[in-house]
Amino acid sequence: MLAMMKTFKYRIYPNKLQRRKLGIILSNCCFVYNHIIETRKNIWEQEKRSVSKFETINMLPALKKENQSLKVCHSQTLQDVCVRVDRAFKNFFQRCKLKENPGYPRFRSSQRYKSLTFPQSGYKLSGKKIHISKIGEMKIVLHRPIVGKIKILVLTRDIIGKWWASFSCEVEKNSLPVNERSVGIDLGLTHFATL
């Protein structure tokens, strides 16, 4: 069987302190995002060379030493910020190749940075609780079961301040059974639909 990715989204309820911590982490990720864009731009202007995703990830320990507030962030969450910046630049260069209006990757304000990604670890789901590294345990409403193997967790804050957990899971691709009876539908001008 072939595998495919399926996402399951659930509401989570962080307490007041946890909401504050999550807000600080979002602000830090936004800072890293803007810093990486600026660094890549400066290196291109000064040295005329492109910076890889791995080079930016390797810059994170030095950045953490300079900015102590980054220590509240899970390491893989910060690494994912570098992946996002790299994806933005790849999309920019792809649009340049296709001679479209490219739109250089922009700096983000803290209001536009709304999600944290945990690609492999940093979370644990048990019953009606989810434990997030450096944030703590919070209530999660599992209104349907999670199917498959969890690969990625994304925490998102919506526009009104509610928090959501989205689990991207690897599930087996199941084909629908073959049906010998088929129906064709023709939409027309004089008759809405003809079967």
Side-chain angles (χ1 to χ4, degrees):
M1 283 280 178
L2 295 172
M4 64 181 207
M5 296 300 283
K6 190 172 183 179
T7 302
F8 299 88
K9 186 175 180 180
Y10 304 97
R11 177 81 192 277
I12 57 174
Y13 293 90
N15 62 33
K16 193 174 183 179
L17 177 63
Q18 290 168 335
R19 282 195 303 273
R20 199 166 133 239
K21 285 180 182 179
L22 286 164
I24 290 168
I25 293 170
L26 277 178
S27 294
N28 286 333
C29 288
C30 183
F31 166 77
V32 171
Y33 186 92
N34 292 335
H35 179 79
I36 297 295
I37 286 181
E38 183 179 10
T39 302
R40 288 181 70 144
K41 184 178 179 220
N42 290 342
I43 290 174
W44 175 257
E45 288 171 355
Q46 294 166 8
E47 303 173 21
K48 297 293 184 223
R49 72 175 182 89
S50 186
V51 179
S52 73
K53 164 178 61 176
F54 302 106
E55 284 180 88
T56 58
I57 289 172
N58 290 334
M59 293 176 192
L60 290 175
L63 191 59
K64 276 186 174 181
K65 285 181 181 175
E66 287 176 28
N67 190 343
Q68 295 294 316
S69 68
L70 294 178
K71 291 188 177 182
V72 300
C73 303
H74 191 270
S75 61
Q76 288 189 349
T77 301
L78 292 178
Q79 289 171 13
D80 182 71
V81 173
C82 297
V83 172
R84 289 183 193 193
V85 172
D86 190 63
R87 194 178 313 126
F89 274 96
K90 282 182 180 173
N91 291 340
F92 167 72
F93 292 126
Q94 182 66 31
R95 287 190 301 271
C96 287
K97 275 185 188 176
L98 297 173
K99 297 192 182 348
E100 296 175 358
N101 185 11
Y104 192 80
R106 295 185 302 173
F107 295 110
R108 288 195 182 181
S109 67
S110 57
Q111 287 80 26
R112 290 191 70 221
Y113 204 95
K114 299 178 182 177
S115 64
L116 307 169
T117 304
F118 296 85
Q120 296 169 340
S121 64
Y123 58 91
K124 183 179 178 184
L125 192 62
S126 57
K128 294 182 179 182
K129 301 280 184 183
I130 184 169
H131 181 83
I132 307 293
S133 175
K134 300 193 178 193
I135 297 167
E137 193 173 80
M138 61 188 86
K139 181 184 170 191
I140 183 168
V141 179
L142 295 169
H143 58 278
R144 63 181 174 154
I146 296 175
V147 179
K149 183 179 179 185
I150 299 172
K151 294 288 190 177
I152 300 169
L153 168 66
V154 178
L155 299 180
T156 311
R157 179 177 62 192
D158 66 17
I159 197 162
I160 58 173
K162 293 180 180 178
W163 282 91
W164 303 85
S166 300
F167 298 92
S168 292
C169 303
E170 190 176 68
V171 295
E172 288 185 6
K173 188 175 182 180
N174 294 327
S175 299
L176 294 173
V178 177
N179 185 353
E180 296 298 326
R181 299 176 354 167
S182 60
V183 174
I185 300 174
D186 182 29
L187 300 176
L189 296 174
T190 56
H191 293 80
F192 175 69
T194 304
L195 302 178

